[in-house]
Amino acid sequence: MLPLPGHSQVLTVSETGTQVRDNQAVASPRTRIGRRVRRNERPSVGIAVARTGAWIAAVIGQVVHIIDPKTGSVRRTLRFEDDVDEFGSTPDGTKAVSVVGDTVTRWDTGSWTVVAEYHIDKEMRATSKARWSPDGSLLAVVTDDQRLRILDEPGWAALTELRLDSEIHGCAWLDDSRLVVVGGRGVYWLAFQRP
């Protein structure tokens, strides 16, 4: 496990939710998080970390725990009606996005309140291959039907769309106007200009 930016302490949590430091178990109030996960029920799990190191999001089924990386305490618990498909952050950590079914929710990470909710079509749900531009204003999404879409974050309007002649495995922003796309037949460097 790598330390968070600006922090030298490494925090490890066992399957039972017990915090482990220097190979020694430490009593932790978060033990109850691990105990909520029953052995015979394996909910979807995931983690998202703000690049600034301001928070960690632990996704367990229908629940997202927002954790303070300095103390290891749970700051906020977000609950949803269905399993969380995706949870991510803008590069500056000021906004987060959750995807549950066909609903995308944008969160203010200062107060963890809902800023906006949007509904998306089925082909847009492959957001595990989505990447924020460095300024947090654009989202590049690889959809289930193998298209790369550049979305304008405030309203999720598709500004442009690209389809390669092979699979698209992923994408990454180089800066606010350039991105790289890895396809089945090569690597593509793309320049994007707002309309």
Side-chain angles (χ1 to χ4, degrees):
M1 178 181 270
L2 296 174
L4 296 171
H7 301 279
S8 58
Q9 179 183 8
V10 175
L11 176 69
T12 306
V13 179
S14 70
E15 278 188 22
T16 62
T18 306
Q19 182 177 334
V20 179
R21 229 186 246 134
D22 300 328
N23 297 324
Q24 295 180 2
V26 177
S28 171
R30 292 174 292 105
T31 302
R32 64 184 178 276
I33 294 172
R35 290 184 182 155
R36 287 185 199 142
V37 180
R38 296 182 185 152
R39 299 254 181 236
N40 59 353
E41 296 177 12
R42 295 286 180 182
S44 58
V45 296
I47 192 162
V49 180
R51 284 190 186 176
T52 59
W55 52 267
I56 298 171
V59 181
I60 305 170
Q62 300 172 346
V63 177
V64 177
H65 299 284
I66 307 301
I67 300 168
D68 183 332
K70 293 179 183 175
T71 64
S73 63
V74 177
R75 284 187 196 164
R76 181 72 55 104
T77 298
L78 309 175
R79 298 183 189 283
F80 301 88
E81 292 182 12
D82 292 312
D83 281 0
V84 177
D85 298 317
E86 184 71 20
F87 197 90
S89 166
T90 55
D92 63 4
T94 61
K95 291 179 273 189
V97 171
S98 61
V99 180
V100 178
D102 64 352
T103 303
V104 177
T105 305
R106 188 162 44 107
W107 301 86
D108 175 344
T109 60
S111 60
W112 288 103
T113 56
V114 174
V115 174
E117 283 190 347
Y118 309 97
H119 292 283
I120 54 175
D121 54 24
K122 287 182 182 178
E123 63 187 20
M124 288 291 295
R125 291 179 62 179
T127 54
S128 59
K129 295 180 182 176
R131 297 293 178 259
W132 291 98
S133 63
D135 67 1
S137 66
L138 299 172
L139 192 63
V141 178
V142 178
T143 64
D144 283 338
D145 63 354
Q146 296 300 305
R147 296 175 194 268
L148 173 71
R149 290 183 179 170
I150 307 297
L151 306 177
D152 189 10
E153 188 271 333
W156 300 113
L159 300 178
T160 192
E161 183 175 280
L162 171 74
R163 184 172 179 123
L164 301 178
D165 58 355
S166 64
E167 290 184 359
I168 301 176
H169 300 293
C171 62
W173 289 89
L174 302 172
D175 57 35
D176 291 329
S177 63
R178 296 180 305 145
L179 64 157
V180 62
V181 177
V182 178
R185 296 189 181 176
V187 177
Y188 304 86
W189 282 263
L190 305 173
F192 175 76
Q193 291 182 340
R194 285 181 178 272

